Amino acid sequence: MTITMTRDEYPDVFHSQPPWDSTGKWRQEHFFSAAGARWVRSLVERGVDVQWCTTWQEHANRYFAGPLGLPQLPVVPDTGAGLSETSAQWKARNIAAATAGRPVLWVDDRPGPLRHHRGRLDRTLTYVHRVTDPHTGITAQDVAVMSEWLELVSSREGQGELRRRQHGQMNQRRRQRIQERWGTVEGHARWVSARAALTQAFPSDSDTARYLAALARAQVLDIEELQHAYRQNPHPDDPSWSTVLRLVGTLHRYRGGRLRAATGNAFCRSTGLTQEEKQFAVEGGVPPLLPDSPEQNDHLKRTLDPPGNAGGVAWASTGELASKWGVSASTVRARRARGEIIADATAQGLMFPVWQFDHTGRPLPGLHQVLLTIAAPGRPTKDVTTIMTTPWEELDGTTPVDWLQQGRDLTWLLDLLWEADNLTRP
């Protein structure tokens, strides 16, 4: 249908001005989904609370209600757009503010993170349906899916079914992640048991236990670094060095199986250890030690070390970061163990992708929260790098790194990464 709009009645948020004629009018052909219009009319007839949530704001009633055969519908209250908000963020925030405690179905071609804005009990009663082709609009298939959800959410029994489905989907995704990272559920259970044993071995120093567990997750288990971490803050209640080697070695074996399979083998650096310590490490589950042959060492470096600028990604060593920050190398390693930054463990030591840092060399604002969302234990650094350096349409065509550098809305980025990565939270 061709619709005529006037300059005096046109939205001023998220819309640029069209080419008005000399009388302040603009005629434009618009396309509507007949299936969608029929469905919305049926909802109104059934008494469902149907509201506009659109950047057209109150002007939607003036220009689109008539062509769609709809009455004047309520408009989700507009609390004002934030300076850095996208239209999807603005809509999600306003919907959540207007619907606390109520089931909500939101239909949009570019929806935002509505679940994040809703209370814990309301999240199961929240369904965001994305119309995949904005040029086609709502289809009969869309209507069938949304109608089923509305039918279920309209009764207490149906809401229970929705919760059961959600829990089932969460458990299924959890099992898939376990299988991807540990191979089997049994393998994950063994790792959890070994991790608990390591924690119990350090009753007076949980930070050291977490740091040692982080070292065990590395592709290359650096025994020298392990030994340094063990001896850095000694305590009378600490376990013996041989016990630590056995515990961490066992944990590394359970956690690193897939990585060893992917590279053909995994090696630990062994300079500075006695022959007895080397043998004990192997018996404790540590992978075969790094050969002494220079030729073999060169081959391993080519296999395990990230190149200086592979794929356009630059890397920095532990020493380089320590020098730039004015701290010790152990402080850099500790920040990596806490998940504040990521690195690849290589035959030459830890190597850090430099996209994590700003022009001063410090970690980007919000990086830690982002890594907690996407850098699950054992996830290859290259996968995280790909996510962070790829432009996203939902981020206005920028990369997550650019988004952080520009200081834009961290909540929106975290929710987007959470949904895209299929991660779940209890």
Side-chain angles (χ1 to χ4, degrees), residues 337-400:
R338 292 194 297 267
E340 297 176 12
I341 51 179
I342 59 172
D344 266 348
T346 75
Q348 292 177 319
L350 295 176
M351 297 294 289
F352 299 80
V354 300
W355 57 260
Q356 305 173 92
F357 313 109
D358 61 19
H359 65 282
T360 68
R362 294 290 176 175
L364 294 171
L367 177 66
H368 190 194
Q369 293 96 313
V370 168
L371 294 181
L372 289 175
T373 301
I374 63 173
R379 186 169 203 168
T381 301
K382 65 178 182 179
D383 289 357
V384 178
T385 296
T386 298
I387 293 171
M388 295 299 296
T389 59
T390 299
W392 290 58
E393 179 184 353
E394 294 87 345
L395 299 178
D396 300 333
T398 66
T399 68

Side-chain angles (χ1 to χ4, degrees), residues 82-104:
L83 293 177
S84 61
E85 277 187 313
T86 65
S87 61
Q89 291 172 277
W90 171 77
K91 292 177 183 179
R93 180 171 56 80
N94 284 311
I95 292 174
T99 58
R102 304 174 62 195
V104 174

Side-chain angles (χ1 to χ4, degrees), residues 10-190:
Y10 194 79
D12 55 3
V13 180
F14 301 113
H15 281 257
S16 57
Q17 293 294 313
W20 304 108
D21 63 18
S22 58
T23 64
K25 295 182 179 180
W26 174 55
R27 293 173 60 83
Q28 177 70 19
E29 191 175 44
H30 292 260
F31 295 86
F32 300 95
S33 162
R38 286 194 298 270
W39 177 64
V40 176
R41 288 195 296 269
S42 73
L43 297 180
V44 174
E45 292 169 359
R46 288 167 48 193
V48 175
D49 182 11
V50 182
Q51 300 188 26
W52 293 108
C53 186
T54 168
T55 57
W56 287 96
Q57 301 164 287
E58 69 276 7
H59 305 294
N61 276 320
R62 175 176 178 81
Y63 296 124
F64 305 128
L68 292 172
L70 295 172
Q72 297 290 296
L73 297 174
V75 179
V76 173
D78 175 12
T79 58
L83 293 177
S84 61
E85 277 187 313
T86 65
S87 61
Q89 291 172 277
W90 171 77
K91 292 177 183 179
R93 180 171 56 80
N94 284 311
I95 292 174
T99 58
R102 304 174 62 195
V104 174
L105 164 62
W106 179 19
V107 192
D108 209 306
D109 62 329
R110 295 188 63 181
L114 178 58
R115 283 171 55 87
H116 176 83
H117 292 280
R118 304 206 79 200
R120 183 176 61 86
L121 296 178
D122 290 344
R123 289 173 186 167
T124 304
L125 308 182
T126 304
Y127 177 37
V128 178
H129 187 90
R130 181 167 187 164
V131 178
T132 56
D133 186 350
H135 299 288
T136 302
I138 297 173
T139 65
Q141 184 176 1
D142 292 322
V143 169
V145 172
M146 294 186 291
S147 296
E148 181 197 13
W149 188 87
L150 283 172
E151 186 67 27
L152 286 171
V153 84
S154 298
S155 67
R156 189 174 298 276
E157 294 76 12
Q159 292 178 7
E161 173 61 21
L162 288 175
R163 289 192 170 90
R164 285 190 292 273
R165 289 184 184 182
Q166 184 183 55
H167 292 161
Q169 291 168 355
M170 291 172 63
N171 290 332
Q172 182 179 7
R173 287 197 291 267
R174 179 176 180 271
R175 286 192 295 270
Q176 288 174 347
R177 292 199 305 277
I178 287 175
Q179 291 173 351
E180 290 170 358
R181 296 168 189 170
W182 282 273
T184 63
V185 174
E186 291 75 16
H188 175 249
R190 288 194 298 269

Side-chain angles (χ1 to χ4, degrees), residues 62-341:
R62 175 176 178 81
Y63 296 124
F64 305 128
L68 292 172
L70 295 172
Q72 297 290 296
L73 297 174
V75 179
V76 173
D78 175 12
T79 58
L83 293 177
S84 61
E85 277 187 313
T86 65
S87 61
Q89 291 172 277
W90 171 77
K91 292 177 183 179
R93 180 171 56 80
N94 284 311
I95 292 174
T99 58
R102 304 174 62 195
V104 174
L105 164 62
W106 179 19
V107 192
D108 209 306
D109 62 329
R110 295 188 63 181
L114 178 58
R115 283 171 55 87
H116 176 83
H117 292 280
R118 304 206 79 200
R120 183 176 61 86
L121 296 178
D122 290 344
R123 289 173 186 167
T124 304
L125 308 182
T126 304
Y127 177 37
V128 178
H129 187 90
R130 181 167 187 164
V131 178
T132 56
D133 186 350
H135 299 288
T136 302
I138 297 173
T139 65
Q141 184 176 1
D142 292 322
V143 169
V145 172
M146 294 186 291
S147 296
E148 181 197 13
W149 188 87
L150 283 172
E151 186 67 27
L152 286 171
V153 84
S154 298
S155 67
R156 189 174 298 276
E157 294 76 12
Q159 292 178 7
E161 173 61 21
L162 288 175
R163 289 192 170 90
R164 285 190 292 273
R165 289 184 184 182
Q166 184 183 55
H167 292 161
Q169 291 168 355
M170 291 172 63
N171 290 332
Q172 182 179 7
R173 287 197 291 267
R174 179 176 180 271
R175 286 192 295 270
Q176 288 174 347
R177 292 199 305 277
I178 287 175
Q179 291 173 351
E180 290 170 358
R181 296 168 189 170
W182 282 273
T184 63
V185 174
E186 291 75 16
H188 175 249
R190 288 194 298 269
W191 184 86
V192 170
S193 177
R195 178 67 174 83
L198 180 61
T199 300
Q200 293 169 4
F202 288 88
S204 62
D205 190 358
S206 58
D207 288 342
T208 295
R210 282 195 292 269
Y211 187 16
L212 298 179
L215 295 179
R217 291 198 295 267
Q219 178 174 343
V220 181
L221 180 56
D222 187 338
I223 298 184
E224 283 185 284
E225 185 174 15
L226 179 65
Q227 192 175 52
H228 174 77
Y230 167 71
R231 293 175 176 171
Q232 188 172 17
N233 297 303
H235 190 278
D237 295 334
D238 285 349
S240 66
W241 167 238
S242 60
T243 299
V244 169
L245 265 181
R246 187 177 298 279
L247 289 172
V248 175
T250 300
L251 195 62
H252 181 71
R253 183 176 72 242
Y254 291 151
R255 192 63 189 89
R258 289 182 63 253
L259 293 174
R260 289 203 299 277
T263 60
N265 210 338
F267 298 83
C268 58
R269 293 196 293 146
S270 57
T271 305
L273 297 179
T274 66
Q275 188 59 42
E276 290 77 14
E277 287 174 336
K278 294 179 184 180
Q279 183 60 35
F280 193 93
V282 173
E283 291 175 356
V286 177
L289 300 176
L290 186 67
D292 297 326
S293 163
E295 293 78 13
Q296 289 177 297
N297 286 343
D298 290 341
H299 170 72
L300 289 175
K301 289 178 182 179
R302 289 193 300 271
T303 303
L304 298 177
D305 284 357
N309 197 29
V313 178
W315 303 79
S317 67
T318 304
E320 289 170 335
L321 289 182
S323 176
K324 185 177 289 290
W325 298 351
V327 299
S328 65
S330 61
T331 299
V332 176
R333 291 192 292 265
R335 295 193 69 172
R336 181 243 184 177
R338 292 194 297 267
E340 297 176 12
I341 51 179

